[in-house]
Amino acid sequence: MVLHLNSNSLYSTFGVDSFHTLDDAINNMAPSMVEYYLSDLSDGNDDAYLNKRNIQNSINIGEYSIYLDYDDEVYLEIEDTKNEDEYETGSLW
């Protein structure tokens, strides 16, 4: 799932002023806090289209990826880690 984020909200959440300083801020935080903030930012956003050929910079944090494109738009990609086969059990017959 890819979401379009408001860059000002993202930067103010992490206390930075640009995408380039965001990486340092994320690296100095506990991973659970970063994931909490990113999941909070993703609430209420609709799916968006991201042209991956237009990516200028990216940051990867577990199942989350943050992308900055050449138009200075910020996107959050959440990797779907649920595997349908993971919860199924084999038949005994």
Side-chain angles (χ1 to χ4, degrees), residues 9-93:
S9 295
L10 176 68
Y11 299 154
S12 66
T13 298
F14 289 98
V16 297
D17 58 354
S18 71
F19 192 86
H20 304 291
T21 56
L22 180 64
D23 192 27
D24 292 333
I26 287 174
N27 287 331
N28 291 325
M29 295 179 76
S32 59
M33 285 300 295
V34 173
E35 290 182 0
Y36 171 77
Y37 286 139
L38 291 176
S39 67
D40 189 46
L41 285 171
S42 67
D43 289 342
N45 287 329
D46 294 328
D47 282 345
Y49 174 74
L50 171 64
N51 184 354
K52 292 203 175 185
R53 290 183 285 158
N54 198 24
I55 294 175
Q56 180 182 162
N57 203 349
S58 65
I59 301 171
N60 298 315
I61 312 104
E63 64 186 33
Y64 298 95
S65 297
I66 305 171
Y67 300 108
L68 175 70
D69 70 6
Y70 287 108
D71 296 326
D72 291 329
E73 298 291 332
V74 180
Y75 296 90
L76 174 66
E77 181 179 35
I78 303 170
E79 191 175 303
D80 188 19
T81 58
K82 295 178 185 172
N83 188 353
E84 292 178 16
D85 295 333
E86 182 178 326
Y87 300 109
E88 293 182 11
T89 58
S91 173
L92 297 174
W93 310 109

